Amino acid sequence: YEPPFRGRGIEKMPGEQPQFSELSIDWKHYEQLRKNEEDRLRTMEKFINSHGCRRGYILKYFGEAKAYSCGICDRCVAKKAVSGDKENLVKTEQRIALPVLGFLRFARFPLGKARIADVVTGSRNKQIIEWGLDRNPAYGLVDANRAEVKEVIENLMNSGYIEVTGDSHLPVLRLTERGKKAALEFNPEDYDRRTMSEAGASRKPDRSSSGEEIRVAVLKCVETVPYLIGTSKIAGVLTGSRAKWIKQSGVGDLEVYGGVNATQDDVKEIILEMIDDHSLQQKGSTLYPVLAITEKGRAKLKGEPKPGPEGKTVKEAARVSSGIEEYARVCCSPKPVTPLEALAGELLVARPEKAREMLPDVRKHKPAEIMDALINCSNDPECHGTRPRLIWCVGELCGGYGVDFLLDNLSSESSAIRKLTASALGKTGTGMKTGTGKDPLMMRKARQALEVLARDPNRQVREYAEKALKRF
């Protein structure tokens, strides 16, 4: 049968239908066709999301290297609309534009428009906290809704202060030379920082806690919490963090919870000072150190001084004494990493070929240690990688220790993430069957997760899950 007016016909095979496995199908050919179509789709998405001239984009696609602006497409018209006020845009939108430019100036890795809006408006999103974005000087300085902030960011892009980089799936923003000059005018002291956490706010004093008050609060926390915890958790308790573990453990009901009006970084810095002066000591393993009070600390706690005059926090002192550059250094100083974390960090950002070459060196370490290093590095903005790469690494290296992490990706809205998760779960099954880390409970969890993915609405996810189930 050949449909009219078509170049390709459909042939109905006579006789009994053969088995599917007997059909001669060139799968590589069709995979290549699929890849070509996906490439075309990505190109079209880039064209749609491009903030430059439409005609200029098409000319560049066909090899024209010279920049071009037609002046009549929607992008060029939008730029004309704000061109008369280009010089004054940052001044007219100062309460939003300068914090946005300031954030990009001190950002340690690029982000998209929506995430930048979250940061400058003081969102407590889990990833923002884990990535340390709340340490950026522009965090929480904008008192406006996200839609308004994104509109200003769009105007900054059209006015040449910000440009888009990255691929069409993950477009990120960075400052242009014009934006870098404008960002020099940003000073966080010109803004009133918004309240970052409602939890424990009623327990905190109106003024910032002094260093001595924080030291006493840390000692009380170590003594009051019924089990040993580490530096980050102590800082979370004292600053009124809304972390899930605090609610589940009942620590949020203690008197010390939310008793310090300071940032977690301030508390952590003071804890390090207390370890140096032997008021606290570290116990436990090097991977999971916890804090205990020493005799010197107990003596200090018994002779607790009365609250002194209002003082400045560590960050405020840095801002006053050394200006914005020193403030940024204190806020955004990178944390030291172990050799394994350094290796894991390189693995997360390396090219695919290089990443595969690195696997034998990483496998020399224990799977549990690898899992910890990968998670630590993915949370560290200096070496954080994409989630797909992290899922791939967990599947290749962590065996049963990575199952719980992979389960968190089952509800992802991205079918590509769910597909990659199915593949990684299959690899963990193989690792638990053939390796030394066999864990019946984790194998059962992985199998149940794959059975869920085998009923996924997306056909490719189902195929990957069914293939992975055969490894069990």
Side-chain angles (χ1 to χ4, degrees):
Y1 168 68
E2 294 184 4
F5 313 112
R6 295 188 184 178
R8 299 176 182 175
I10 302 173
E11 180 179 354
K12 185 178 185 303
M13 301 181 68
E16 184 179 355
Q17 182 176 350
Q19 294 292 327
F20 182 78
S21 58
E22 297 175 1
L23 295 177
S24 177
I25 300 175
D26 188 350
W27 293 110
K28 289 186 178 180
H29 173 69
Y30 284 102
E31 284 295 329
Q32 184 61 44
L33 290 177
R34 177 187 179 87
K35 182 179 181 300
N36 292 343
E37 295 299 327
E38 289 176 343
D39 288 342
R40 291 184 185 131
L41 176 61
R42 280 192 288 270
T43 301
M44 181 56 67
E45 288 176 341
K46 287 182 180 179
F47 174 75
I48 293 170
N49 296 322
S50 171
H51 292 275
C53 174
R54 300 291 192 193
R55 295 187 183 183
Y57 182 93
I58 295 173
L59 290 173
K60 186 177 180 180
Y61 176 79
F62 286 107
E64 179 65 52
K66 186 177 179 180
Y68 178 83
S69 178
C70 68
I72 58 174
C73 70
D74 62 319
R75 294 305 188 193
C76 290
V77 170
K79 287 184 178 181
K80 282 183 179 179
V82 297
S83 61
D85 197 29
K86 263 188 176 183
E87 299 301 327
N88 298 321
L89 177 63
V90 173
K91 293 182 179 179
T92 57
E93 299 288 353
Q94 182 173 356
R95 68 187 183 92
I96 298 177
L98 275 181
V100 168
L101 297 176
F103 168 79
L104 289 171
R105 178 189 175 194
F106 295 106
R108 297 165 66 191
F109 57 96
L111 291 173
K113 180 166 57 177
R115 188 67 78 192
I116 292 172
D118 287 339
V119 174
V120 298
T121 55
S123 169
R124 299 297 292 175
N125 180 283
K126 182 180 179 181
Q127 286 187 328
I128 288 177
I129 305 305
E130 289 178 345
W131 294 349
L133 296 174
D134 57 334
R135 299 198 297 269
N136 189 288
Y139 177 75
L141 294 185
V142 174
D143 187 8
N145 59 55
R146 294 173 71 252
E148 188 177 356
V149 174
K150 287 196 283 187
E151 183 179 352
V152 172
I153 293 175
E154 191 76 27
N155 290 337
L156 289 169
M157 294 161 66
N158 291 332
S159 301
Y161 291 94
I162 299 173
E163 62 183 356
V164 181
T165 61
D167 57 35
S168 59
H169 294 286
L170 295 171
V172 293
L173 308 181
R174 69 180 181 185
L175 293 175
T176 62
E177 290 303 319
R178 177 193 183 96
K180 290 176 182 177
K181 292 179 181 178
L184 295 175
E185 301 178 16
F186 168 67
N187 184 356
E189 296 213 16
D190 295 336
Y191 300 81
D192 293 327
R193 192 174 298 275
R194 302 177 68 194
T195 302
M196 302 308 164
S197 176
E198 296 177 1
S202 60
R203 305 187 189 186
K204 295 181 182 180
D206 293 333
R207 60 181 177 81
S208 298
S209 301
S210 67
E212 189 61 29
E213 289 170 340
I214 295 175
R215 286 182 172 83
V216 173
V218 168
L219 294 173
K220 283 185 178 180
C221 183
V222 175
E223 282 284 84
T224 306
V225 175
Y227 45 85
L228 297 179
I229 56 178
T231 301
S232 296
K233 288 190 173 182
I234 290 175
V237 172
L238 292 177
T239 56
S241 168
R242 302 177 69 179
K244 190 176 180 179
W245 75 270
I246 291 179
K247 182 178 180 181
Q248 292 176 339
S249 63
V251 173
D253 296 329
L254 298 176
E255 183 181 353
V256 294
Y257 176 69
V260 166
N261 190 6
T263 67
Q264 292 193 22
D265 283 342
D266 292 341
V267 177
K268 289 177 185 177
E269 288 188 35
I270 288 180
I271 289 175
L272 292 177
E273 293 174 5
M274 295 175 71
I275 294 172
D276 290 339
D277 68 14
H278 305 293
S279 297
L280 295 173
Q281 61 179 331
Q282 286 187 318
K283 292 186 174 182
S285 66
T286 54
L287 281 177
Y288 301 104
V290 293
L291 296 176
I293 192 168
T294 62
E295 291 300 324
K296 180 179 179 180
R298 284 197 179 88
K300 186 176 180 118
L301 189 58
K302 289 179 181 178
E304 173 187 344
K306 296 181 179 180
E310 182 173 344
K312 295 186 179 296
T313 62
V314 175
K315 285 186 180 178
E316 289 171 337
R319 288 159 65 180
V320 172
S321 64
S322 304
I324 185 64
E325 295 297 338
E326 178 65 13
Y327 174 44
R329 186 190 67 78
V330 172
C331 291
C332 305
S333 57
K335 300 177 182 178
V337 296
T338 65
L340 177 56
E341 286 176 342
L343 190 61
E346 184 181 354
L347 181 65
L348 288 175
V349 298
R351 293 184 177 275
E353 300 80 7
K354 176 65 174 177
R356 282 189 285 271
E357 293 175 0
M358 293 175 63
L359 290 179
D361 290 334
V362 183
R363 286 195 178 105
K364 295 176 183 178
H365 300 269
K366 296 179 181 179
E369 296 175 351
I370 297 173
M371 186 69 217
D372 287 335
L374 286 171
I375 294 298
N376 289 341
C377 289
S378 68
N379 292 336
D380 187 343
E382 282 292 343
C383 55
H384 99 285
T386 63
R387 193 152 190 91
R389 174 61 66 82
L390 178 59
I391 294 172
W392 177 79
C393 290
V394 170
E396 292 285 345
L397 299 164
C398 301
Y401 296 98
V403 171
D404 285 334
F405 165 79
L406 295 174
L407 295 182
D408 292 337
N409 298 284
L410 295 183
S411 58
S412 172
E413 295 180 0
S414 169
S415 59
I417 291 292
R418 299 197 304 275
K419 181 175 69 174
L420 191 58
T421 299
S423 176
L425 284 168
K427 292 174 183 177
T428 61
T430 301
M432 287 187 284
K433 285 178 65 176
T434 60
T436 57
K438 186 171 182 179
D439 187 332
L441 175 61
M442 289 302 169
M443 289 186 70
R444 186 164 65 252
K445 281 186 176 183
R447 175 184 283 276
Q448 291 172 347
L450 287 171
E451 289 171 351
V452 171
L453 292 173
R455 300 189 295 272
D456 194 273
N458 185 278
R459 178 181 59 82
Q460 282 195 322
V461 175
R462 293 197 302 270
E463 291 176 353
Y464 271 72
E466 290 167 359
K467 183 178 178 181
L469 277 169
K470 296 177 181 178
R471 301 193 178 195
F472 286 82

